[in-house]
């Protein structure tokens, strides 16, 4: 099988038009072949080791997740993805563990939040991006606590999300209170819940 056929096969199996240098190397193709395809305009380089087919529907959520595996979509971005905000974020918000540092983060159009390691991993769920690709976000209870922690919160978004949560049949008040205690926002959460329930 020729290199072009191998790459076409990898792209066909990927379903999303994304190919990595790791996939190329595993198939026995020299990485330089990717540069040839970029020059020809068949692929473009999204980031180091990550290439996208020219006619693929670009899924920014998925591409950023691939690029920053430790990033978890959070705050207003998670609220939007979970259907608790109708405002499309101008910048995506991702949370990383404190100490995780990569210079390219500063060049991205994302809002970076950092948390201590013990507060990083709870509440993470796998979720489908709007294009149907797997990404990681914080669950609703964690997200509500996160937006109450910030100083720059839009009160309208918070009130709307908390109202919707209070009337939801899938709400989990026990989990919400547990997270609120761990993230030191229990008084704020109690205030909203007392008013809304």
């Amino acid at each position: 099988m020729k290199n072009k056929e191998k790459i076409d096969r990898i792209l066909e199996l990927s379903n999303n038009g994304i190919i990595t240098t790791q996939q190329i190397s595993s198939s026995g193709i020299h990485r330089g072949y990717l540069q040839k395809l970029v020059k020809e305009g068949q692929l473009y380089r999204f980031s180091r080791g990550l290439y996208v087919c020219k006619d693929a529907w670009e899924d920014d959520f998925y591409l950023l997740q691939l690029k920053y595996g430790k990033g978890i979509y959070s705050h207003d971005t998670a609220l939007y993805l979970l259907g608790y905000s109708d405002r499309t974020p101008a910048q995506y918000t991702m949370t990383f563990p404190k100490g995780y540092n990569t210079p390219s983060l500063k060049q991205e159009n994302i809002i970076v939040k950092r948390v201590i390691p013990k507060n990083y991993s709870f509440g993470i769920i796998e979720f489908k991006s709007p294009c149907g690709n797997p990404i990681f976000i914080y669950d609703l209870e964690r997200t509500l606590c996160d937006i109450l922690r910030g100083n720059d919160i839009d009160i309208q978004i918070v009130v709307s999300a908390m109202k919707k949560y209070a009337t939801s049949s899938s709400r989990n008040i026990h989990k919400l209170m547990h997270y609120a205690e761990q993230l030191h926002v229990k008084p704020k959460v109690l205030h909203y819940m007392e008013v809304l329930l």
Side-chain angles (χ1 to χ4, degrees), residues 64-83:
L64 283 170
Q65 186 75 79
L66 287 175
K67 188 173 181 181
Y68 302 109
K70 289 273 189 191
I72 310 299
Y73 287 104
S74 61
H75 297 76
D76 58 332
T77 304
L79 266 188
Y80 169 75
L81 289 166
L82 291 162

Side-chain angles (χ1 to χ4, degrees), residues 163-180:
K163 272 185 188 174
K164 189 171 180 178
Y165 181 77
T167 59
S168 169
S169 60
S170 60
R171 70 178 185 256
N172 185 335
I173 302 290
H174 177 71
K175 189 200 288 188
L176 179 67
M177 289 305 163
H178 175 71
Y179 287 176

Side-chain angles (χ1 to χ4, degrees), residues 60-124:
D60 287 339
F61 288 106
Y62 184 60
L63 288 167
L64 283 170
Q65 186 75 79
L66 287 175
K67 188 173 181 181
Y68 302 109
K70 289 273 189 191
I72 310 299
Y73 287 104
S74 61
H75 297 76
D76 58 332
T77 304
L79 266 188
Y80 169 75
L81 289 166
L82 291 162
Y84 274 71
S85 171
D86 56 3
R87 286 195 203 168
T88 307
Q91 288 180 287
Y92 301 142
T93 303
M94 293 182 97
T95 297
F96 295 87
K98 259 191 180 139
Y100 177 84
N101 196 14
T102 177
S104 62
L105 264 178
K106 290 180 178 78
Q107 280 114 38
E108 293 293 351
N109 189 27
I110 58 175
I111 298 166
V112 175
K113 302 284 186 182
R114 297 188 195 280
V115 292
I116 57 174
K118 78 170 192 165
N119 288 343
Y120 167 75
S121 58
F122 71 89
I124 296 173

Side-chain angles (χ1 to χ4, degrees), residues 141-154:
E141 288 78 11
R142 169 66 189 261
T143 299
L144 291 172
C145 291
D146 280 342
I147 61 170
L148 288 172
R149 287 178 78 199
N151 299 328
D152 55 347
I153 56 172
D154 183 329

